[in-house]
Amino acid sequence: MKAICLFGTCVLMLFGACSGSGAGQASNLPAACELLPVANLQDILREQVKNPTPTNAGVGEISACTYTLPARSLEEYLGIYVLAPRSRDAVQLERLADEWKKRNVGADYELVGDAQYPMAWFPGEHKVYPSTFIILFDKATLVVTGVSLDDSKSIAFQAMVKYKWE
């Protein structure tokens, strides 16, 4: 009986070690719905934010979350996507922006910001694709959709400060 328990414990430890080793730094990232409290999001957006809903992470995302914005139409929402960190260079930013360009029906984006925090911005087109902001930090990559560029930056930089992503 002791042998069976010992074997079971070893198997569980082995699975635990395997599941944690491949994820590396990405496993330490917060879930998108837990990135910032709803109250902080409301302060940034200056409007009501409700119903944080985890959504299926798609291409490259670790987690994703959508929030309803009751003062807007039912089709508009705030989306936050947490991705694994990438090297902070123009090539990585353009690769990621090109992936989102496909999601945004081929819409063009512009590079914004500086070399320290590579950023891309899709201005959005009502009922076609949401505004989309992408930023590369050293310990995470964030995508914020559905709100203005300034509000997207505020969300991203508040998360950066909170989690010390610098």
Side-chain angles (χ1 to χ4, degrees):
M1 184 66 161
K2 284 184 181 180
I4 293 172
C5 289
L6 181 60
F7 177 74
T9 302
C10 289
V11 169
L12 288 174
M13 288 174 55
L14 180 62
F15 281 126
C18 289
S19 66
S21 63
Q25 199 172 10
S27 66
N28 295 329
L29 294 174
C33 287
E34 298 168 7
L35 195 67
L36 293 174
V38 170
N40 287 49
L41 296 172
Q42 290 180 152
D43 288 344
I44 293 167
L45 300 177
R46 298 160 310 282
E47 67 180 286
Q48 202 171 34
V49 177
K50 289 187 167 187
N51 305 323
T53 306
T55 55
N56 290 333
V59 183
E61 293 108 42
I62 294 169
S63 67
C65 188
T66 57
Y67 299 81
T68 58
L69 302 170
R72 302 183 189 196
S73 73
L74 295 175
E75 293 134 3
E76 294 183 61
Y77 61 90
L78 165 64
I80 298 177
Y81 303 83
V82 177
L83 294 82
R86 296 173 176 237
S87 60
R88 287 195 299 196
D89 60 51
V91 172
Q92 289 297 316
L93 178 63
E94 287 184 33
R95 283 183 186 156
L96 183 56
D98 286 341
E99 291 172 23
W100 280 83
K101 182 175 183 171
K102 292 175 188 170
R103 293 184 193 196
N104 289 342
V105 296
D108 284 326
Y109 59 89
E110 60 188 69
L111 300 178
V112 294
D114 55 37
Q116 186 175 4
Y117 301 108
M119 297 177 254
W121 171 248
F122 295 82
E125 187 174 328
H126 187 65
K127 295 193 179 203
V128 178
Y129 69 94
S131 60
T132 304
F133 174 71
I134 301 168
I135 186 165
L136 307 180
F137 291 115
D138 66 339
K139 297 179 184 170
T141 298
L142 290 183
V143 177
V144 180
T145 65
V147 296
S148 73
L149 176 59
D150 288 340
D151 290 342
S152 296
K153 285 181 179 180
S154 293
I155 291 168
F157 283 107
Q158 277 197 23
M160 179 202 75
V161 169
K162 180 178 180 179
Y163 296 101
K164 299 179 173 104
W165 290 338
E166 301 168 36

